């Protein structure tokens, strides 16, 4: 709408597919059994998210940008296979698996300053609304033994995540540019809920 002000909007279609293989203690189903079982599942889901942003150039050499991306709750569903890993207790079952995955709301802001023809610096900040994901519930069904496991409850207690970054560029000549930068994440995952699903504290993904 103006040489120093731009706006943008975009929709996105999301398709997610996941392969899950996890062990469980069969005593949860049959107290007399001492050993492990295994669950495999192939859930999938789709959905839509949208994003909008503005870019401003209020002063010569300076650009300021801000954007927002919507959240989406993906209802993952698919086939499930369960089996016993106890040699003298062969058991294989089939059923259904359902779980919800979250794409969090995201807010981004940044500024870039073109100091002169050779130097420019930039800063950006990103925030993820991860604390909407308090608890993960997994529902399995299709057989009385499988039904006995449902729901599988996994506390998350996520806080919100954020990332701060900065960078600098020096243009040596038309062919060579020197660049450096630094980046820091604040994880949304509390210490008490670290598990094999979250092997890193860098869930923010900066």
């Amino acid at each position: 709408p103006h040489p120093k002000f731009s706006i943008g909007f975009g929709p996105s279609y999301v398709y997610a597919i996941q392969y899950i293989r996890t062990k469980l203690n069969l005593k949860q189903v049959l107290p007399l059994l001492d050993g492990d079982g295994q669950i495999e599942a192939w859930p999938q889901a789709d959905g839509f998210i949208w994003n909008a942003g503005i870019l401003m150039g209020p002063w010569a050499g300076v650009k300021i940008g801000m954007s927002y991306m919507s959240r989406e709750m993906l209802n993952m569903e698919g086939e499930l296979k369960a089996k016993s890993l106890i040699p003298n207790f062969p058991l294989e079952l089939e059923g259904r698996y359902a779980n919800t995955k979250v794409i969090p709301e995201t807010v981004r802001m940044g500024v870039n300053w073109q100091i002169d023809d050779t130097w420019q610096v930039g800063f950006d900040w990103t925030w993820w609304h991860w604390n909407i994901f308090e608890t993960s519930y997994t529902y399995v069904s299709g057989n009385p033994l499988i039904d006995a496991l449902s729901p599988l409850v996994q506390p998350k207690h996520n806080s919100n995540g954020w990332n701060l970054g900065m960078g600098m560029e020096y243009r040596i000549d038309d062919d060579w540019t020197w660049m450096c930068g630094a980046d820091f994440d604040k994880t949304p995952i509390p210490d008490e809920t670290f598990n094999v699903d979250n092997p890193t504290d860098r869930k923010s993904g900066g």
Side-chain angles (χ1 to χ4, degrees):
H2 188 274
K4 292 187 178 182
F5 183 79
S6 301
I7 58 176
F9 175 83
S12 296
Y13 170 72
V14 179
Y15 174 71
I17 185 169
Q18 186 177 19
Y19 171 66
I20 299 163
R21 183 172 63 186
T22 185
K23 290 184 179 180
L24 63 136
N25 188 342
L26 289 178
K27 283 187 177 182
Q28 298 178 53
V29 185
L30 298 173
L32 298 179
L33 292 179
D34 187 11
D36 290 331
Q38 180 175 280
I39 288 180
E40 289 183 285
W42 298 263
Q44 55 187 309
D46 61 357
F48 287 90
I49 57 175
W50 61 270
N51 61 80
I54 61 174
L55 179 64
M56 301 176 290
W59 307 287
V62 176
K63 290 186 177 180
I64 301 171
M66 291 177 282
S67 69
Y68 169 83
M69 187 185 78
S70 67
R71 76 172 68 172
E72 177 68 350
M73 311 293 281
L74 296 172
N75 297 315
M76 309 288 292
E77 296 186 13
E79 297 180 3
L80 175 149
K81 291 185 178 180
K83 65 180 180 180
S84 166
L85 299 179
I86 303 174
N88 59 354
F89 186 70
L91 178 67
E92 294 191 11
L93 304 171
E94 294 186 358
R96 299 290 295 176
Y97 175 101
N99 182 273
T100 299
K101 300 293 184 184
V102 176
I103 299 176
E105 290 174 297
T106 305
V107 176
R108 302 179 190 273
M109 291 185 284
V111 58
N112 190 81
W113 180 22
Q114 180 81 43
I115 302 172
D116 54 31
D117 292 339
T118 56
W119 286 97
Q120 63 176 311
V121 294
F123 300 88
D124 63 72
W125 176 80
T126 304
W127 175 85
W128 292 270
H129 191 192
W130 274 112
N131 75 352
I132 60 173
F133 197 31
E134 279 287 319
T135 306
S136 174
Y137 295 94
T138 301
Y139 298 91
V140 291
S141 60
N143 182 281
L145 291 177
I146 296 178
D147 293 346
L149 297 171
S150 191
L152 301 170
V153 180
Q154 187 177 46
K156 296 294 185 180
H157 304 310
N158 288 340
S159 62
N160 293 318
W162 55 267
N163 170 270
L164 180 65
M166 63 171 293
M168 181 182 299
E169 179 185 289
Y170 174 68
R171 182 167 295 280
I172 301 171
D173 53 36
D174 291 339
D175 297 321
W176 293 93
T177 300
W178 176 81
M179 293 178 287
C180 69
D183 178 273
F184 177 78
D185 280 339
K186 187 269 181 186
T187 176
I189 306 171
D191 291 343
E192 63 269 20
T193 60
F194 275 165
N195 55 43
V196 294
D197 294 332
N198 300 316
T200 173
D201 65 354
R202 295 298 184 233
K203 195 176 183 70
S204 298

